[in-house]
């Protein structure tokens, strides 16, 4: 049923720390590796060894640069994946019941056996979390590694989503965001974790932690984003440099 | 949004088919619908062909068309599901309306009842189609009342223009005259609705921005400097369609001219010719109105998709949607 559950026992999700992420794409690659042989397999690639490789990924890492009014810039690496929203619009628009949100843990999944590939769910998602598999004719998305996090054949420390276990910087955390006492909830509270596009009314479960304010050794001002003009003065220059400057100017 | 040919054909064709059905029912209720077998077979046949052709075409863009029947099950939450159900249920009264009108197997009073119920189902189906688009908050160009008004008006407008031509071509003067008036009024309403739709697109404040999409807006202007992939992907193909602004303007003018002004002028002048004893010229002009209307509405529908910006593009360089 594509009606959303009133409440879910748990709200499993991710917390992504934008202050730590170095943009190495390891989360995206390990996500692809796990899911290409798991529940949603195959994660089709088109023209994988050709000139225009393209395919289904559940995790994409963007890099943004912000520029404030004073021209100071900051680079932020930004992993983007399904946020397992409480009011998931991708679920309610589904005409077949293939899209659903689990009552027990809040994970949003696609039943690929009944999906008709109408793509309406991907239109309803503001975050680009759903990617259509042209070869299979069905929609695919992040499963929060549902086949990994409950897998008793794996050692307990491995029972986290692939993107979390692989992150070399420790920028990703996994847990129950519905439990205010969980580690992830405490992290969100301590660091001011926020929702992406709250105005879309989706109530995302996943949270993002903002980059910390820039530390600067020379009195609070950030480094300029780029050089604005050439340096005209010879102050502090050596003897030869001053001599060359005199000849040239 | 990527303008898929199958969906453009579906919405325009089934819109015109349902529009014809609605006016056939109105004519029947007014006692003006000619009960002639050849005419009946042709108009009802054409209306059903447009509706069924459109619905079939809409299944072509599915990844798994053989599972299309499953789309009927989630009417509690999904407008797409409701649309499918309304379309299927509507075939019953519309079919009975056609059979009673063409073959006279029952009293026409009963035919009128079937017709009006069928017309209500046709309007409901058009409303569901509109709501598939209007319910998507991710696409502000669609998430407004003008989208609904557009679908409810343009289908019936197109159907009225087609019927005005067919009635005149078969020489049913009284019904043809009434239909020309209805078509003219619908064209004026249609032009008004689309004008307000485009005005809304141009003036509505943005729903989301690159700042709110990343949550980095407080740090200043947010620009993507590194894409996750250096080739295209599904998101960019489906949702990242961009139309050059000069083409949008040109196509907008074509849609307004051929979709509304040319049909309106043809309807008015055709009326003068038909009343003035020049039926051939009048009928020819009405045919021009039908053809212009199809081209214009197709351009309008193409723009409806191509001009609509999706929130996901904010992650790929768009500043606001």
């Amino acid at each position: 049923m594509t009606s959303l559950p009133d409440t879910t026992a748990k709200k499993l999700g991710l917390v992504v720390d934008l202050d730590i992420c170095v943009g190495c794409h390891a989360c995206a690659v390990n996500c692809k590796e796990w899911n290409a042989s798991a529940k949603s397999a195959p994660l089709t690639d088109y023209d994988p060894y050709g000139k225009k490789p393209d395919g289904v990924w559940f995790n994409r890492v963007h890099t943004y640069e912000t520029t404030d009014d004073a021209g100071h810039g900051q680079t932020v690496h930004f992993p983007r994946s399904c946020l397992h929203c409480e009011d998931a619009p991708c679920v309610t628009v589904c005409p077949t019941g293939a899209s659903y949100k689990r009552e027990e843990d809040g994970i949003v999944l696609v039943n690929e056996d009944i999906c008709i590939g109408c793509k309406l769910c991907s239109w309803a998602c503001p975050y680009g979390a759903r990617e259509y598999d042209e070869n299979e004719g069905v929609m695919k998305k992040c499963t929060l590694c549902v086949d990994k996090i409950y897998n008793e054949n794996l050692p307990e420390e491995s029972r986290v989503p692939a993107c979390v276990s692989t992150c070399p910087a420790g920028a990703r955390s996994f847990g129950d965001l519905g439990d205010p006492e969980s580690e992830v909830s405490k992290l969100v509270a301590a660091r001011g974790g926020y929702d992406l596009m709250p105005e879309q009314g989706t109530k995302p479960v996943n949270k993002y932690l903002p980059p910390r304010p820039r530390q600067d050794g020379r009195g609070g001002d950030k480094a300029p984003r780029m050089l604005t003009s050439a340096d005209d003065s010879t102050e502090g220059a050596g003897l030869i440099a001053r001599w060359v400057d005199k000849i040239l100017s | 949004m990527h303008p898929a040919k199958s969906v453009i054909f579906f919405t325009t064709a089934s819109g015109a088919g349902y529009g014809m059905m609605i006016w056939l029912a109105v004519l029947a209720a007014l006692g003006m619908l000619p009960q002639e077998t050849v005419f009946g077979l042709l108009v009802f046949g054409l209306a059903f062909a447009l509706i069924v052709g459109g619905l079939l075409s809409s299944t072509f863009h599915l990844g798994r068309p053989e599972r299309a029947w499953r789309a009927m099950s989630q009417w509690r939450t999904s407008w797409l599901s409701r649309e499918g159900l309304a379309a299927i249920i509507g075939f019953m009264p519309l079919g009975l309306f056609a059979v009673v009108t063409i073959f006279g197997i029952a009293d026409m009073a009963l035919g009128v009842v079937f017709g009006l119920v069928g017309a209500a189902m046709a309007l409901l189906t058009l409303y569901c189609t509109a709501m598939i688009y209007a319910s998507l908050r991710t696409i502000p160009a669609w998430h407004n009342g003008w989208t609904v008004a557009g679908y409810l008006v343009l289908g019936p407008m197109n159907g009225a223009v087609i019927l005005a031509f067919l009635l005149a071509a078969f020489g049913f003067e009284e019904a043809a005259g009434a239909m020309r008036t209805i078509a003219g009024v619908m064209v004026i309403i249609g032009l008004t609705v689309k004008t307000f739709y485009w005005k809304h697109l141009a003036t509505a404040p943005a729903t989301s921005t690159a700042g709110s999409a990343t949550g980095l807006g407080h740090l200043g202007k947010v620009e993507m400097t590194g894409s996750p992939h250096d080739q295209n992907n599904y998101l960019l193909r489906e949702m990242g369609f961009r139309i050059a602004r000069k083409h949008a303007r040109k196509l907008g003018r074509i849609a307004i001219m051929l979709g509304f002004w040319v049909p309106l002028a043809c309807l008015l002048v055709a009326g003068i010719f038909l009343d003035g004893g020049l039926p051939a010229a009048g009928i020819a002009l009405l045919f021009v109105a039908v053809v212009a209307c199809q081209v214009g509405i197709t351009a309008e529908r193409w723009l409806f998709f191509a001009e609509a910006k999706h929130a996901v593009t904010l992650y790929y360089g768009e500043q606001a949607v």
Side-chain angles (χ1 to χ4, degrees):
Chain A
M1 266 298 150
T2 52
S3 304
L4 290 163
D6 292 332
T7 53
T8 56
K10 284 182 176 182
K11 292 177 189 171
L12 293 187
L14 303 170
V15 175
V16 178
D17 192 337
L18 298 179
D19 195 62
I20 296 179
C21 177
V22 296
C24 72
H25 295 249
C27 53
V29 173
N30 202 33
C31 165
K32 179 85 174 176
E33 194 279 335
W34 175 268
N35 285 294
S37 54
K39 181 183 181 293
S40 309
L43 237 53
T44 308
D45 282 317
Y46 324 113
D47 196 21
Y49 306 105
K51 282 187 179 154
K52 292 195 169 177
D54 173 2
V56 184
W57 293 65
F58 297 160
N59 196 350
R60 304 273 192 182
V61 184
H62 299 248
T63 298
Y64 298 103
E65 195 165 65
T66 64
T67 313
D68 65 15
D69 291 338
H72 296 140
Q74 194 164 341
T75 298
V76 181
H77 304 291
F78 187 95
R80 178 176 58 77
S81 60
C82 174
L83 309 176
H84 297 279
C85 302
E86 284 181 56
D87 283 346
C90 56
V91 170
T92 49
V93 298
C94 176
T96 67
S99 277
Y100 61 105
K101 184 170 175 70
R102 303 196 342 157
E103 270 185 29
E104 60 267 44
D105 51 19
I107 298 178
V108 176
L109 292 175
V110 178
N111 179 351
E112 289 173 24
D113 293 334
I114 63 172
C115 172
I116 59 174
C118 73
K119 310 183 189 92
L120 188 55
C121 54
S122 68
W123 293 10
C125 172
Y127 310 108
R130 289 171 170 248
E131 298 202 11
Y132 178 71
D133 188 324
E134 317 264 354
N135 287 14
E136 304 267 299
V138 296
M139 195 56 75
K140 296 188 173 178
K141 69 176 293 299
C142 161
T143 66
L144 209 62
C145 286
V146 68
D147 39 17
K148 189 168 184 275
I149 58 176
Y150 294 115
N151 192 336
E152 291 179 3
N153 297 316
L154 297 172
E156 204 168 330
E157 65 273 20
S158 294
R159 290 180 214 160
V160 293
C163 56
V164 175
S165 59
T166 202
C167 179
R172 306 176 72 94
S173 311
F174 164 69
D176 181 6
L177 286 144
D179 172 10
E181 295 306 310
S182 69
E183 290 299 317
V184 281
S185 294
K186 285 180 190 164
L187 192 58
V188 169
R191 291 281 308 285
Y194 62 85
D195 291 345
L196 304 184
M197 284 192 262
E199 69 276 10
Q200 292 278 343
T202 54
K203 290 200 222 157
V205 169
N206 285 14
K207 299 284 184 271
Y208 282 73
L209 306 182
R212 289 186 172 89
R214 271 304 172 78
Q215 293 181 2
D216 189 82
R218 283 186 288 176
D221 209 325
K222 294 177 192 169
R225 189 178 161 200
M226 58 182 68
L227 291 173
T228 48
S229 61
D231 188 3
D232 297 329
S233 102
T234 52
E235 200 183 325
L239 184 66
I240 297 177
R242 270 184 286 152
W243 181 66
V244 169
D245 178 67
K246 204 162 256 176
I247 291 174
L248 290 178
S249 53
Chain B
M1 298 296 293
H2 170 69
K5 284 186 204 76
S6 59
V7 178
I8 290 172
F9 177 74
F10 157 58
T11 56
T12 51
S14 67
Y18 281 126
M20 286 178 72
M21 286 295 191
I22 289 165
W23 299 119
L24 286 170
V26 169
L27 286 180
L30 294 173
M32 293 166 79
L33 181 61
Q35 282 180 275
E36 196 198 271
T37 315
V38 178
F39 172 76
L41 282 174
L42 186 88
V43 283
F44 281 101
L46 178 61
F48 275 120
L50 287 169
I51 295 169
V52 174
L55 288 172
L56 280 180
S57 152
S58 76
T59 64
F60 292 159
H61 88 288
L62 297 180
R64 297 283 191 139
E66 77 280 9
R67 298 177 182 168
W69 60 273
R70 290 186 183 276
M72 243 59 84
S73 65
Q74 304 301 309
W75 49 271
R76 283 184 192 82
T77 65
S78 168
W79 283 106
L80 178 50
S81 205
R82 289 169 194 164
E83 179 202 43
L85 266 186
I88 298 291
I89 294 170
F91 277 125
M92 222 173 346
L94 289 175
L96 290 169
F97 174 43
V99 169
V100 171
T101 309
I102 301 168
F103 303 109
I105 54 165
D107 190 61
M108 197 50 203
L110 194 62
V112 169
V113 173
F114 288 140
L116 291 177
V117 173
M121 289 308 295
L123 268 178
L124 185 67
T125 310
L126 289 176
Y127 179 72
C128 291
T129 305
M131 284 307 292
I132 293 173
Y133 303 106
S135 67
L136 297 174
R137 206 180 294 202
T138 46
I139 304 164
W142 297 351
H143 189 59
N144 60 74
W146 296 113
T147 298
V148 180
Y151 276 89
L152 286 180
V153 168
L154 294 189
M157 174 193 108
N158 198 350
V161 173
I162 295 172
L163 267 186
F165 161 67
L166 289 175
L167 284 164
F170 274 80
F172 299 116
E173 282 171 26
E174 191 199 17
M179 223 41 240
R180 272 202 309 283
T181 309
I182 291 174
V185 171
M186 289 305 292
V187 169
I188 292 166
I189 298 175
L191 179 60
T192 311
V193 165
K194 278 318 282 190
T195 305
F196 276 106
Y197 173 83
W198 274 311
K199 199 176 165 198
H200 175 81
L201 246 62
T203 56
T207 304
S208 295
T209 62
S212 73
T214 57
L216 301 172
H218 64 284
L219 296 173
K221 186 175 189 205
V222 180
E223 288 164 295
M224 185 175 74
T225 53
S227 174
H229 37 93
D230 53 15
Q231 298 297 329
N232 232 346
N233 75 346
Y234 166 72
L235 299 174
L236 293 177
R237 278 194 301 274
E238 183 79 3
M239 262 85 71
F241 188 88
R242 292 182 100 163
I243 174 176
R245 190 162 293 177
K246 59 174 183 178
H247 290 156
R249 259 193 230 121
K250 206 176 277 176
L251 266 171
R253 279 201 292 272
I254 289 174
I256 289 175
M257 198 44 89
L258 294 181
F260 304 101
W261 287 115
V262 171
L264 189 61
C266 287
L267 285 164
L268 289 173
V269 180
I272 298 169
F273 282 155
L274 288 166
D275 294 339
L278 283 168
I283 292 165
L285 267 182
L286 288 174
F287 183 71
V288 173
V290 171
V291 174
C293 200
Q294 303 319 305
V295 179
I297 295 301
T298 304
E300 178 275 330
R301 207 53 48 87
W302 192 88
L303 277 175
F304 177 74
F305 287 93
E307 283 188 315
K309 286 186 193 170
H310 192 285
V312 75
T313 56
L314 296 171
Y315 291 107
Y316 285 95
E318 194 70 63
Q319 281 299 320
V321 298

